[in-house]
Amino acid sequence: MHFPLLEVADVKIRPIEKGGSDRKFYRIRCSQNQTLILVKYNLEREKNRHYVEIAKFLEAHGIRAPKIYFHDAAEGLIWIEDLGEHDLYGYRHDSWLVRRAFYESALDEIIKLHRLPESVCEEMKEHLPAEFNAALYRWEQRYFFNNCLGRYFKVSESTRKELAAPSQFARNRKTSRKFATGFGSSRFSIAKCHYPERAG
């Protein structure tokens, strides 16, 4: 991809130290007020190849996602819109009044996705990851325990093993279900108050 109107010497490239699924992100500053994001993905990981199609699907149905500027499938490169340097984690110390607006904004986009008719979603099946079955669930659980609880919250290995034990995990799951039910009801009430036409 070429940028004939840009001076190469003025272009600044900075890696973004956050990624996932063998994807690396770089912020490309083309000028003082113009930036974009370069994504480099691992060609050997099948699901990375579907990143662009999923993004286009979301955009086509009015669900907010970074705009795709260019995709080089042979090299595993994607040029996408830069939505800024601030993320939800950066607001973790702010009051709930501040953070709540961000959570509600994200949930509003999820509501749009879940309201799409099944017939529309059928076209995306081939681009979606593997079925979320028991094996994948266990992998996600281990990843959460090791990286979130272990690396971030510094929970000891013995405690993580105790939490992962079948009997304890069953109790945790019941608690999580109660929380999810309560949270879902609260979100529905919020939607009903602010968007009465959505409550039906």
Side-chain angles (χ1 to χ4, degrees), residues 46-48 50 54 124-132 136 140:
E46 175 61 26
K47 73 175 185 177
N48 283 332
H50 304 296
I54 293 174
M124 285 305 296
K125 272 192 173 181
E126 62 179 293
H127 299 295
L128 295 177
E131 176 189 359
F132 202 79
L136 182 55
E140 294 281 1

Side-chain angles (χ1 to χ4, degrees), residues 78-95:
I78 312 170
W79 301 85
I80 66 175
E81 179 184 9
D82 185 359
L83 297 181
E85 300 188 43
H86 299 290
D87 58 19
L88 188 57
Y89 183 75
Y91 293 92
R92 64 192 181 281
H93 298 307
D94 285 41
S95 69

Side-chain angles (χ1 to χ4, degrees), residues 22 26 47 80 119 152:
D22 292 331
Y26 302 87
K47 73 175 185 177
I80 66 175
S119 57
Y152 181 75

Side-chain angles (χ1 to χ4, degrees), residues 57 61 113 116-125 128:
F57 174 84
H61 294 283
L113 181 61
L116 292 177
E118 186 176 351
S119 57
V120 171
C121 299
E122 283 290 327
E123 64 189 78
M124 285 305 296
K125 272 192 173 181
L128 295 177

